[in-house]
Amino acid sequence: MSTATEQDLAEATAPKRFWNRQRRLGTALVAIGVLAAALFGALAPSETARFTLSEDAEGAALSINGQLGAVLFGIVAIGAGVALLVGVAKRWQTTLLGLGIVGFVLSFLCWQVAGKFMPLVDTASGSLELALPLILGALAGVLGERSGVVNVAIEGQFLMGAFAAALVGTMATSVWFGLLSAAVGGALIAAMLAVLAIRFLVDQVVVGIVLNLFAVGVTGFLYERLMQPDAQSYNTPPQMETWRIPVLADIPVIGPVLFETNFLVWLALILVVAIHFGLSRTRWGLRTRAVGEHPTAADTVGIRVRGLRYANVLVGGLVAGAGGAYFTLVATGSFTKNMTSGAGFIALAALIFGRWTPVGALGAALFFGFAQKLATYLSAVGSPVPSQFLNMLPYLATIVAVAGLVGRVRAPAADGQPYLKS
């Protein structure tokens, strides 16, 4: 079959594939909407669910009858699914999908919060804080994989960054030296990944796993020999302060979350915007995407494929290392062995769920963070829903996304493929 014929066939079948995907989405939304309206509505007590605008039960609140809210929001999900099924809003597929998912989540919350209260500020700020290292780790993955290098070593970069932040931050008694050292620590792991994967053409997934184990071993050894015997001198880093922007911090809900927080939150959000703009609007972004999709063609027009891959992987290491600083400079205040507990692999899942884009990775990381925060809240209020079930939901969503239910999820064409200059 000629190339022209294959292209014509693909164009002819594209509307049918789009309609089949939209029909699957609509069916799924109708199903979960019916589940929410029927099951959650039946289980929810006829008591008020209060979503407070502060961090406690006092002050203004958004209130709704738990049973009524569970049914109404379930109907919202059903409506979004029906709109997709009948095809009246083809251009709004993503919006309707998001509306249906939000409706299902709110229906579930009305059931769980009925007779209780949920502090929106604490929930939102907690979700963002839990998502913070995932955002930075996923951005590191975006930089590497959009240029063709699979970064499975995010976990090792996190761990090395956390260790360096604790060690140097303690010795220099400076949170900024600790943050800078964390970035350098992540870059060291990234440099080893780049050399082994790009120069020596080692399988990128294998070398990533090996580097993770290397980081676990090195940091664990130094922790036992250096930090554990004298924690006061080597493992008591200063904590990153919370900064408050006047006026903006007084905005309900959004203000305390975005404008009364630590520097790492602002850094992560700025990097999302900067990398998104860079990939879509700059010459560097065009070259990066070209190298990740078709390195041979990029080479023929004068782009240094290997050089660009080296640069992007190293910058990604700096970003992931800064993410590792969160564990010691924000979350805990000291380093312990293997303290990242698989956060690098969660960031990798967020990268895939976000379709290898900075904004998508941000949304996926926030979803993961919200699921973890919600699991903590439900455990505190004595919910019958096991917290383990909520913790596994993000991974189920990732599997669903990769399976193609929510549209085509495709990695860059040259992702993981070493480039040999002909």
Side-chain angles (χ1 to χ4, degrees):
M1 184 180 292
S2 65
T3 303
T5 304
E6 291 177 353
Q7 184 176 355
D8 293 341
L9 181 60
E11 293 176 354
T13 57
K16 183 178 180 180
R17 290 198 307 270
F18 179 85
W19 166 243
N20 288 336
R21 182 170 66 247
Q22 184 166 305
R23 186 168 56 187
R24 291 196 303 269
L25 288 174
T27 303
L29 287 183
V30 170
I32 66 173
V34 170
L35 172 66
L39 180 60
F40 300 159
L43 294 175
S46 188
E47 299 180 49
T48 301
R50 299 183 70 245
F51 299 89
T52 62
L53 303 183
S54 60
E55 296 185 358
D56 50 33
E58 304 299 326
L62 304 174
S63 302
I64 188 172
N65 180 278
Q67 193 171 58
L68 177 62
V71 173
L72 286 179
F73 288 119
I75 293 174
V76 169
I78 294 173
V82 170
L84 287 173
L85 279 174
V86 299
V88 296
K90 293 182 179 180
R91 295 181 59 186
W92 301 96
Q93 175 180 304
T94 303
T95 302
L96 289 171
L97 175 61
L99 180 63
I101 294 174
V102 169
F104 177 80
V105 171
L106 290 177
S107 177
F108 174 78
L109 289 178
C110 284
W111 166 38
Q112 292 295 307
V113 182
K116 309 178 186 71
F117 78 96
M118 171 178 276
L120 293 181
V121 170
D122 179 69
T123 301
S125 61
S127 299
L128 180 58
E129 183 172 319
L130 288 169
L132 178 56
L134 307 183
I135 296 170
L136 293 169
L139 289 178
V142 169
L143 289 169
E145 300 203 19
R146 291 302 291 265
S147 55
V149 179
V150 174
N151 189 357
V152 183
I154 299 173
E155 176 77 2
Q157 292 163 2
F158 275 171
L159 200 57
M160 192 65 75
F163 175 82
L167 179 64
V168 178
T170 303
M171 297 177 65
T173 63
S174 169
V175 69
W176 303 113
F177 277 106
L179 179 59
L180 179 62
S181 301
V184 173
L188 288 176
I189 299 294
M192 289 188 280
L193 170 66
V195 171
L196 292 172
I198 300 172
R199 173 66 179 85
F200 294 103
L201 309 181
V202 181
D203 184 279
Q204 296 174 11
V205 175
V206 173
V207 74
I209 295 173
V210 169
L211 289 175
N212 288 335
L213 297 175
F214 170 77
V216 170
V218 169
T219 57
F221 172 79
L222 293 176
Y223 170 76
E224 290 183 349
R225 297 294 182 179
L226 189 66
M227 289 182 167
Q228 203 170 35
D230 191 359
Q232 188 64 34
S233 300
Y234 301 109
N235 198 20
T236 55
Q239 293 294 278
M240 191 168 288
E241 296 181 357
T242 297
W243 291 351
R244 187 179 191 277
I245 300 180
V247 181
L248 293 178
D250 296 325
I251 301 173
V253 182
I254 298 176
V257 175
L258 294 181
F259 304 111
E260 190 174 355
T261 186
N262 61 74
F263 171 76
L264 272 180
V265 171
W266 294 339
L267 176 64
L269 297 178
I270 290 171
L271 285 175
V272 169
V273 175
I275 294 175
H276 172 74
F277 177 82
L279 285 174
S280 59
R281 303 290 182 180
T282 66
R283 184 172 63 176
W284 164 79
L286 177 62
R287 291 183 172 185
T288 294
R289 288 182 283 124
V291 167
E293 294 291 343
H294 204 308
T296 303
D299 193 11
T300 59
V301 296
I303 299 175
R304 296 178 62 247
V305 174
R306 287 189 172 185
L308 189 59
R309 286 184 171 182
Y310 271 116
N312 285 351
V313 171
L314 288 175
V315 173
L318 292 171
V319 174
Y326 160 82
F327 296 97
T328 48
L329 300 183
V330 178
T332 62
S334 63
F335 179 82
T336 57
K337 292 174 64 175
N338 201 21
M339 68 182 305
T340 53
S341 301
F345 298 106
I346 302 176
L348 193 61
L351 165 69
I352 297 170
F353 190 42
R355 303 187 181 192
W356 289 268
T357 65
V359 176
L362 170 65
L366 290 174
F367 172 57
F368 280 40
F370 173 71
Q372 294 179 46
K373 182 64 179 178
L374 184 59
T376 303
Y377 168 78
L378 294 182
S379 297
V381 299
S383 170
V385 179
S387 60
Q388 293 85 352
F389 175 77
L390 290 173
N391 286 329
M392 77 179 184
L393 284 181
Y395 308 103
L396 291 177
T398 303
I399 294 172
V400 169
V402 174
L405 180 62
V406 295
R408 189 181 184 189
V409 179
R410 183 185 67 85
D415 194 19
Q417 299 179 8
Y419 177 67
L420 292 172
K421 189 178 180 65
S422 57

